[in-house]
Amino acid sequence: MYAEVQHRPTAAGHAHLDRRISNATKPAFCARKHSAGQTLYREGDTAHYVFEVLTGVVCQSRVMPDGRRQIIGFGYPGDFTGFPANGQHHTDCEVVADGQVVAHRRDALENGRTDPELHMRLINAALHEITGMQDHCVMLGRKSAREKTAAFLSALMDRIGTPLGNYIQVSIPMSRSDIADFLGLTTETVSRTFTLLRDDGLIALENARNIIVLRPEDLRDLSLTE
Amino acid sequence: MYAEVQHRPTAAGHAHLDRRISNATKPAFCARKHSAGQTLYREGDTAHYVFEVLTGVVCQSRVMPDGRRQIIGFGYPGDFTGFPANGQHHTDCEVVADGQVVAHRRDALENGRTDPELHMRLINAALHEITGMQDHCVMLGRKSAREKTAAFLSALMDRIGTPLGNYIQVSIPMSRSDIADFLGLTTETVSRTFTLLRDDGLIALENARNIIVLRPEDLRDLSLTE
DNA sequence: CGGGACTTTGACACCTCTCAACTCTCGTGG
DNA sequence: CCACGAGAGTTGAGAGGTGTCAAAGTCCCG
């Protein structure tokens, strides 16, 4: 499955209902296929679009000059990404799991005249982005590796988990390295912490990319207070 | 000096030019005096206003159930704070250093009809808030205590430093405990790191609340890469 | 079946936290 | 005016959590 970037210059209405690819002024960017590993935008790029994830998963990251990387956030279906400041992107954004992405013209964010409904949706998405990043800061600054990992799995469970009797199955779309860079840890610590959560009976590890949450409530509690 | 919360329901124009206190529908909140330690809003409050810092310093924080605190950000003159999500505040906000604060009606953020100019300013402020929090995430997740402290002092230097020959004098408005909660450290580590930066000749410590940056460029470099 | 990337595990080092004692500052009251 | 006390900040010693480096294991895909 490939990720398609769809360009919607003015059309209103719910994104899922409008998947045609329009002729736009920047055709090089429209309807380009995107699959895992490909880049939607890079830090410093002029921000022509704000992106809406329909399916698949994307991630925003910043890389320090010496290579250290921090993942700012993952974008799951329904999320927006790529809010600009001073007309520029300030993170890299790449596709983690193939899917479809809609590119909304940036001016819809700043100007309500052309499409008031989209304008409102984008503003609300930006405000939710702020709140989500506040959560992320608390996690990065004040939680232990165990709490971070539990918080990450809880969020994943709530976003893309599928019920399995009393349990919840979660397929993890990103690598251990992505998880580590999201949580401010190393891959080794993430791996070890997964093992600990398994030993405590909170989760079962089918394989590296698929887990089953055995005690969803306990996992959620763990992410709030140790 | 007291902090005044000023309410500007519809007036456009530059904030500094319009300091009158209007009659508003929620008079209990208008023109209330605020000084260090007082609270502008709390997590969970209905968000009636978005605040603009004119003078003084405010800080936003989140507190975990067990008392651990993370400061999300400081608000210096020119900054906005209190962007809502779902009509609610998701942080506590308190005054760190006395000053004046303007309370803008929240609907100006979501609706451009009443005051388009303010609407634009608030949207841009929200977008800058996102970018600023991305920086903060990188700092919390990937920087050492030394780099965090250097980044904090660099930012403070750029925002409220005053030249002093080749040096830059910085008066630090917040406590070590606030700095620690902002950087995701403990007060002891902050204190020790200040001492280290002093021993390395990067800064001089006049007293706990006043430092002189002796090598501004080196301090800035340190905050980017170790 | 083999190669390579990703993941897990282990041993050890080190950075930061914890706990504790001491110093400094500043306001208060004798 | 000085002594005192409380809070903030600094310094020290030791513990512990997470990082680093290295090796083994697993999975995928040719």
Side-chain angles (χ1 to χ4, degrees), chain A residues 62 68 135 147 185, chain B residues 62 68 135 142 147 185:
Chain A
R62 287 264 279 271
R68 279 176 286 179
D135 293 338
E147 292 170 311
L185 301 170
Chain B
R62 286 265 278 273
R68 280 176 284 179
D135 293 338
R142 289 296 178 219
E147 291 169 312
L185 300 170

Side-chain angles (χ1 to χ4, degrees), chain A residues 129-174:
Chain A
E129 173 97 351
I130 291 173
T131 306
M133 295 197 61
Q134 290 169 353
D135 293 338
H136 199 196
C137 283
V138 175
M139 198 209 60
L140 289 171
R142 288 296 178 220
K143 291 188 180 177
S144 67
R146 194 182 167 81
E147 292 170 311
K148 286 176 176 182
T149 308
F152 168 73
L153 289 178
S154 290
L156 209 54
M157 172 175 87
D158 293 338
R159 289 302 292 266
I160 60 173
T162 58
L164 189 75
N166 289 329
Y167 306 147
I168 298 177
Q169 182 156 36
V170 183
S171 73
I172 301 174
M174 64 291 286

Side-chain angles (χ1 to χ4, degrees), chain A residues 2-80:
Chain A
Y2 283 93
E4 305 173 28
V5 173
Q6 301 177 330
H7 181 241
R8 309 195 321 135
T10 56
H14 198 62
H16 297 76
L17 303 179
D18 178 33
R19 296 197 175 175
R20 72 190 154 70
I21 295 160
S22 67
N23 302 320
T25 50
K26 299 178 197 309
F29 210 76
C30 308
R32 216 162 75 188
K33 304 283 182 183
H34 282 277
S35 55
Q38 289 187 274
T39 299
L40 289 185
Y41 54 82
R42 287 182 200 283
E43 182 176 354
D45 284 356
T46 301
H48 298 297
Y49 306 104
V50 175
F51 297 91
E52 180 179 8
V53 179
L54 296 184
T55 58
V57 181
V58 304
C59 89
Q60 283 190 88
S61 62
R62 287 264 279 271
V63 179
M64 294 175 63
D66 61 0
R68 279 176 286 179
R69 185 175 74 141
Q70 177 65 44
I71 288 185
I72 307 300
F74 293 106
Y76 303 108
D79 290 339
F80 287 79

Side-chain angles (χ1 to χ4, degrees), chain A residues 62 64-65 68-70 84-86 91 110 119-120 127-128 131 134-135 141-142 147 180-181 185 224, chain B residues 62 64 68-70 84-86 91 110 119-120 127-128 131 134-135 141-142 147 180-181 185 224-225:
Chain A
R62 287 264 279 271
M64 294 175 63
R68 279 176 286 179
R69 185 175 74 141
Q70 177 65 44
N86 293 329
T91 58
E110 288 151 348
H119 181 62
M120 268 307 294
L127 295 174
H128 277 95
T131 306
Q134 290 169 353
D135 293 338
R142 288 296 178 220
E147 292 170 311
D181 288 344
L185 301 170
L224 302 177
Chain B
R62 286 265 278 273
M64 294 175 63
R68 280 176 284 179
R69 185 175 74 142
Q70 176 65 45
N86 293 329
T91 58
E110 288 150 349
H119 181 61
M120 267 307 294
L127 295 174
H128 277 95
T131 306
Q134 291 169 352
D135 293 338
R142 289 296 178 219
E147 291 169 312
D181 289 343
L185 300 170
L224 302 178
T225 315

Side-chain angles (χ1 to χ4, degrees), chain B residues 130-194:
Chain B
I130 292 174
T131 306
M133 294 198 60
Q134 291 169 352
D135 293 338
H136 199 195
C137 284
V138 174
M139 199 208 60
L140 289 171
R142 289 296 178 219
K143 291 187 181 178
S144 67
R146 194 181 166 82
E147 291 169 312
K148 286 176 175 181
T149 308
F152 168 74
L153 289 178
S154 290
L156 208 55
M157 172 176 86
D158 293 338
R159 290 301 292 268
I160 61 173
T162 57
L164 189 74
N166 288 330
Y167 306 147
I168 298 178
Q169 183 155 34
V170 182
S171 71
I172 301 173
M174 64 291 285
S175 68
R176 292 290 185 274
S177 162
D178 287 339
I179 299 172
D181 289 343
F182 178 69
L183 300 178
L185 300 170
T186 59
T187 59
E188 294 93 331
T189 298
V190 171
S191 183
R192 271 186 260 271
T193 309
F194 271 60

